[in-house]
Amino acid sequence: MPFGGKTPTMGTEPASWAFPTQDAIGFPIVIDWATSDRGDGPRAVDETRKAKPLPPGAAVDAEGKETTDPNKAVALLPFGQHKGYGLGLIDELYAAYIGGGLPQIRGTGLGDAKEKRASTFFFQVIHPDAIKGSDYAKGRTQAQNVKAVIADILGHGNEKCLLPGQPEARNGELSKSMAACCSPRRKLRS
């Protein structure tokens, strides 16, 4: 939803980042989010089923006015108001520069039926070696600098904070250990 608008012409424009921090902390840091306040529409549908109001600032009605009534909500608002909208707009502009279609919003039939419309996803991959510098603080290497930055973030009383991707890495390790201890092959050998 464009900030200040009333017609949903953009989706939730997911953004994702991943950093190869395995050497520094044992797992990659992975962050993704939708640029809307509530993720995608299914949550609003859930609220309708539960007959619970949406939180203030989450959605607008057909006139572009904020609503907490899930039955009247036609579009989700961006998180951070104009900043979330700006992040979503970045995806649409990248798509425009590389030949993508106009934005597609599920459940709407906006504009010319012959116009190409598509969901927008933008992926950018930068290998750490491509951005490696030669003058890190205190003479550190790139890998040492990544470790130092993460250690600083998790220091100063933040030792119990979770990093994005950490719960998934823990669950992945748990799945591997469960598969190893409970595999049919292992049971046959016992």
Side-chain angles (χ1 to χ4, degrees), residues 80-169:
Q81 300 179 343
H82 61 286
K83 293 181 180 188
Y85 164 61
L87 285 170
L89 184 57
I90 288 169
D91 282 355
E92 294 297 349
L93 291 173
Y94 267 114
Y97 278 106
I98 63 174
L102 297 180
Q104 177 181 359
I105 309 301
R106 286 179 282 188
T108 65
L110 299 173
D112 184 350
K114 294 180 182 178
E115 178 69 60
K116 177 183 173 188
R117 291 193 175 268
S119 296
T120 302
F121 297 92
F122 172 70
F123 299 93
Q124 180 177 13
V125 179
I126 300 172
H127 194 283
D129 289 344
I131 57 174
K132 186 183 276 187
S134 61
D135 190 21
Y136 292 98
K138 292 191 165 185
R140 292 189 287 257
T141 66
Q142 185 184 54
Q144 291 168 333
N145 207 50
V146 170
K147 285 182 183 180
V149 166
I150 292 170
D152 189 62
I153 290 167
L154 294 178
H156 319 287
N158 296 328
E159 293 79 6
K160 292 182 181 179
C161 290
L162 286 177
L163 293 169
Q166 189 171 359
E168 294 81 1

Side-chain angles (χ1 to χ4, degrees), residues 30-52:
V30 180
I31 308 161
D32 78 6
W33 65 89
T35 56
S36 62
D37 186 60
R38 300 187 48 84
D40 206 0
R43 285 189 191 165
V45 171
D46 286 344
E47 299 300 333
T48 302
R49 256 189 267 133
K50 295 175 187 173
K52 288 173 61 178

Side-chain angles (χ1 to χ4, degrees), residues 16-36:
S16 301
W17 296 77
F19 298 89
T21 53
Q22 295 90 322
D23 291 342
I25 56 174
F27 58 90
I29 289 181
V30 180
I31 308 161
D32 78 6
W33 65 89
T35 56
S36 62

